[in-house]
Amino acid sequence: MKKFLDSDFVLQTETAKHLFHDYAETLPIIDYHCHISPQEIYEDKRFDTLGDVWFGGKQPDGTFFGDHYKWRLMRSNGISEELVTGRDNELERFKGFADTLTKAIGNPMYHWCSLELKKYFGVDEPLTVDNAEKIWNHCNEKLQNDPNLTVRGLIRQSNVAYVGTTDDPIDSLIWHEKIAADETIDFMVRPSFRPDKAVNINKEGFKEYIEKLAKAVNKESLNSTQEVIDALVERVDFFAAHGCVASDHGLDYVPFRKVSMEECDKAFKKAMNGEAVSVEEAEGYQTALLVALGKAYHKHGIAMELHYSCLRNVNERMFKLEGPDTGFDMIANNSCGGNIAALLSELDKTAELPKTIIFSLNPADNEQIGTILGCFQSSEVPGKIQHGPAWWFNDTKSGMEEQMKSLANLGLLGNFIGMLTDSRSFLSYTRHDYFRRIMCNLIGNWVENGEYPNDEKALKAIVEGISYYNAKRYFGI
């Protein structure tokens, strides 16, 4: 029987072990999309307890921030919401999570948590209810005293070369400026442009957000679609001046409906007056913004990330209690591949198609995405149009394998830009280790099955490329 979480964890063949240990394991990490705080990086935050860094929960201002992966799992184990997101009894919450984790066989959370406890806290034994208090005390003592367990220490010992945070267009980027000026920070931290609130014309808070966007560009108000576009493009310029190499769009689905600017303005004025905007009206406005932003991204060499097919906040009662991003989202079933192709084609007409990374939360879209890629590649950069790595509900062992198999079947796996954390936790860098093991095991099995030659030079280039060098080249880091 193979030992759990040994040095060859997940690696099933000698070729897989060789590829991982000799090529993938020690390469730096480029985490090009995450949700960690640049302020906490600059301030080199030290967490009080494992609960702070692992769970999060209800904040003093009444909002919720933390790891909704863990919250969902605990709810599935019948744990009360007071323990899931509450902060009143941290040890009992940890014990409840330990009980939950012992039942999570086959869930990547078991692997992620075990890797985090081992790498950052030296805990080799599986977490259980019986040893939960001992592990809790051990980890908390290390968090308080170990110089390597501050935010910067965690990033450094994870061998992270680049962190791409997710930032709103109206952000002053003051913390990024402070990081850039601090010579003691020896890894790169850059903002990523996330304009969802300006694009989502049919969602709550749109009017208020447009008023904030106006202030960010020193205007009294924004009174037309073109003025919104001009403001966003100005902010893209500002982000580019701060080293931005990626944008991100979180969309229910990718729209494409070309209408006149007059039609866009009708929708915009309705939304600003608090009137309902139809689906068709919203899509026209959104398409105008996506096309204009795509051109701005191309001008600056910024990659455009498209995340879609999530149905958010489906539990109305809990959404009212806790708000968004608290674990009440699900996979949606959208047929928008044609819209994605139309958007890319529209940008390609004028040679202004930016580097684009396409993520669907629905794994049924893998093959469709794979076929879109081949329609819009160019000599600008190998793999200019990318199939994003298995995302959110798909970043399981089988989900990662299926995404890579699909990409290999329909495109060039060797040009894949690899993994990201998409996380709010500074401990999540072990997901890169997990991904690299799964990737090396997949490739190793192909080699040992005689499906690819045992060509050392080619295999080294493929594994090192997917682990690090492809992303470094793609983002110009």
Side-chain angles (χ1 to χ4, degrees), residues 401-417:
E401 289 172 342
E402 290 308 311
Q403 184 270 343
M404 285 188 279
K405 286 178 183 177
S406 176
L407 178 55
N409 282 334
L410 297 165
L412 287 177
L413 181 61
N415 284 336
F416 179 35
I417 57 173

Side-chain angles (χ1 to χ4, degrees), residues 201 206-207 209-215 217-232 261-273 285 289:
I201 189 172
F206 175 79
K207 177 180 182 292
Y209 182 78
I210 295 300
E211 292 169 352
K212 293 177 182 177
L213 178 61
K215 291 180 181 178
V217 293
N218 299 313
K219 296 283 182 68
E220 287 293 324
S221 62
L222 301 175
N223 300 307
S224 69
T225 305
Q226 188 59 55
E227 289 186 10
V228 173
I229 288 171
D230 292 343
L232 289 172
M261 197 58 76
E262 289 75 19
E263 290 298 311
C264 292
D265 286 342
K266 287 180 183 178
F268 177 75
K269 288 173 182 176
K270 286 176 70 173
M272 295 300 286
N273 289 330
Y285 167 87
L289 263 63

Side-chain angles (χ1 to χ4, degrees), residues 274-295:
E275 301 173 35
V277 176
S278 72
V279 170
E280 293 78 12
E281 289 171 327
E283 288 178 348
Y285 167 87
Q286 291 170 328
T287 300
L289 263 63
L290 290 173
V291 170
L293 286 169
K295 293 178 179 182

Side-chain angles (χ1 to χ4, degrees), residues 439-458:
M439 179 262 292
C440 288
N441 190 62
L442 179 66
I443 293 173
N445 283 336
W446 283 337
V447 173
E448 298 227 357
N449 289 338
E451 298 176 54
Y452 189 87
N454 189 20
D455 181 332
E456 193 71 17
K457 183 178 179 181

Side-chain angles (χ1 to χ4, degrees), residues 448-469:
E448 298 227 357
N449 289 338
E451 298 176 54
Y452 189 87
N454 189 20
D455 181 332
E456 193 71 17
K457 183 178 179 181
L459 290 169
K460 179 177 187 291
I462 290 169
V463 168
E464 290 186 341
I466 297 171
S467 299
Y468 173 69
Y469 289 105

Side-chain angles (χ1 to χ4, degrees), residues 33 139 141 153 213 224 301 324 363:
H33 175 65
C139 292
E141 189 276 331
L213 178 61
S224 69

